[in-house]
Amino acid sequence: MRALILASALMAATPLSAQAQVCKAWSSPVLVASIPSKPINEASGLEASRTYPGRLYHNNDSGDGLRFYITNMAGGGLQTVNLKGPKPADIEELSLGPCGSRTCLYLGDVGDNAGARSEVSFTLLAEKKTYAETETPLRVVRARYPDGARNVEAFALHPNGELFVVTKPVDAKVTNPGPASVYRLSANQLAQTQGVQVFAKLGELDLPRLLSDLPFYGWIPTGLDISRDGKRAVLLTYMAVVELGFDLAKGVPAKLTAGDNVSVFQAPPLAQQEAITLLPDDSGFLYDSEAARKAETFPLHKVTCTAR
């Protein structure tokens, strides 16, 4: 009994953040593929399939239609999949996650550089072994923020079916970003086809404080992915990757501390890096660059955690 009491006391004295097991050391980036820049000329979203090993999903930034692209891990086997529906305003990100008993690909029409949109939308398509050239979406979910328009390039699905977005906090002159806000849509909201769903605000991530050694450009979130157990996530900025060592579904901590509840990876950044995905086994991540308009290919890099 005394041993049990002592163990319980030790557990109670241990900060929750210490149980996050954030990565202590990252490998150097390794070039694993060169992705064709035609038609993927403004890569803004990236996702690695866990159901179909070796498959990658991509999307272009604003100006493209309602479509996504498939390649293998080496950048080959390119396929374009069009979806029926109106042309989106600005698809910035895609994510894989639950949609009832299935896994769906979520395309997020969430970009809003002018901060003027009254609502955003997510187009859902069930993941499957083969796709036709044109597919019919499962549904489209419309949503709005409770406190005005927000510009977003980073969102991801949690294994519990919830969707999380991290805002891109820049002012009109893009010179003084503040903390990034985190919002959530519930699984029930994502099952709706009527009306406009309202995000719930969960908190803020003070990236300017955490990444104070970087210029403001390095504080701006551009991509997000959540681990298969939901306990961690990776958040891409223009100059860094921040591993969040906590479950977003349980809230956002008041303070981010490197080596405690977050791990920060910095390397020579790719030009306008906007897309990230965890590897299927969550051992590391892939990330790539949007700036491919003047080249035949753009680089896909892999980084793994070497000590946890």
Side-chain angles (χ1 to χ4, degrees), residues 12-53:
T14 302
L16 290 176
S17 57
Q19 300 174 16
Q21 295 184 332
V22 296
C23 186
K24 297 179 177 63
W26 298 98
S27 73
S28 297
V30 176
L31 178 66
V32 293
S34 295
I35 309 295
S37 60
K38 294 182 180 178
I40 313 173
N41 63 357
E42 201 172 354
S44 186
L46 177 67
E47 190 70 282
S49 176
R50 292 189 175 104
T51 305
Y52 303 102

Side-chain angles (χ1 to χ4, degrees), residues 33-79:
S34 295
I35 309 295
S37 60
K38 294 182 180 178
I40 313 173
N41 63 357
E42 201 172 354
S44 186
L46 177 67
E47 190 70 282
S49 176
R50 292 189 175 104
T51 305
Y52 303 102
R55 177 187 288 184
L56 295 176
Y57 296 101
H58 313 260
N59 73 274
N60 277 328
D61 202 339
S62 57
D64 205 354
L66 187 60
R67 62 175 64 96
F68 63 93
Y69 307 92
I70 301 173
T71 70
N72 58 35
M73 286 285 187
L78 177 66
Q79 181 185 2

Side-chain angles (χ1 to χ4, degrees), residues 232-243:
R232 293 183 293 113
V234 285
L235 180 67
L236 181 69
T237 77
Y238 283 121
M239 298 185 72
V241 176
V242 180
E243 180 189 48

Side-chain angles (χ1 to χ4, degrees), residues 53-211:
R55 177 187 288 184
L56 295 176
Y57 296 101
H58 313 260
N59 73 274
N60 277 328
D61 202 339
S62 57
D64 205 354
L66 187 60
R67 62 175 64 96
F68 63 93
Y69 307 92
I70 301 173
T71 70
N72 58 35
M73 286 285 187
L78 177 66
Q79 181 185 2
T80 300
V81 181
N82 297 286
L83 300 180
K84 294 179 181 179
K87 184 176 180 177
D90 189 358
I91 292 182
E92 285 285 359
E93 171 81 290
L94 52 75
S95 181
L96 283 169
C99 54
S101 60
R102 293 181 282 187
T103 298
C104 278
L105 188 66
Y106 290 70
L107 276 73
D109 187 1
V110 294
D112 188 10
N113 291 329
R117 298 180 63 176
S118 59
E119 63 182 64
V120 297
S121 67
F122 300 91
T123 299
L124 282 65
L125 180 71
E127 189 181 25
K128 56 185 183 179
K129 186 175 182 179
T130 58
Y131 291 99
E133 182 178 342
T134 301
E135 294 279 351
T136 300
L138 180 64
R139 60 179 171 271
V140 176
V141 179
R142 299 159 57 203
R144 66 174 178 83
Y145 300 97
D147 45 6
R150 295 288 181 267
N151 190 21
V152 169
E153 293 193 10
F155 83 86
L157 268 293
H158 191 279
N160 69 5
E162 295 178 326
L163 184 150
F164 294 86
V165 304
V166 180
T167 62
K168 183 181 180 181
V170 292
D171 60 17
K173 295 182 180 180
V174 196
T175 57
N176 188 32
S181 295
V182 182
Y183 295 84
R184 173 174 57 194
L185 286 178
S186 70
N188 180 62
Q189 287 176 300
L190 292 169
Q192 306 305 312
T193 57
Q194 302 296 320
V196 181
Q197 307 306 308
V198 180
F199 285 96
K201 185 174 181 179
L202 300 185
E204 294 185 335
L205 301 173
D206 194 351
L207 299 177
R209 178 186 175 280
L210 176 69
L211 305 174

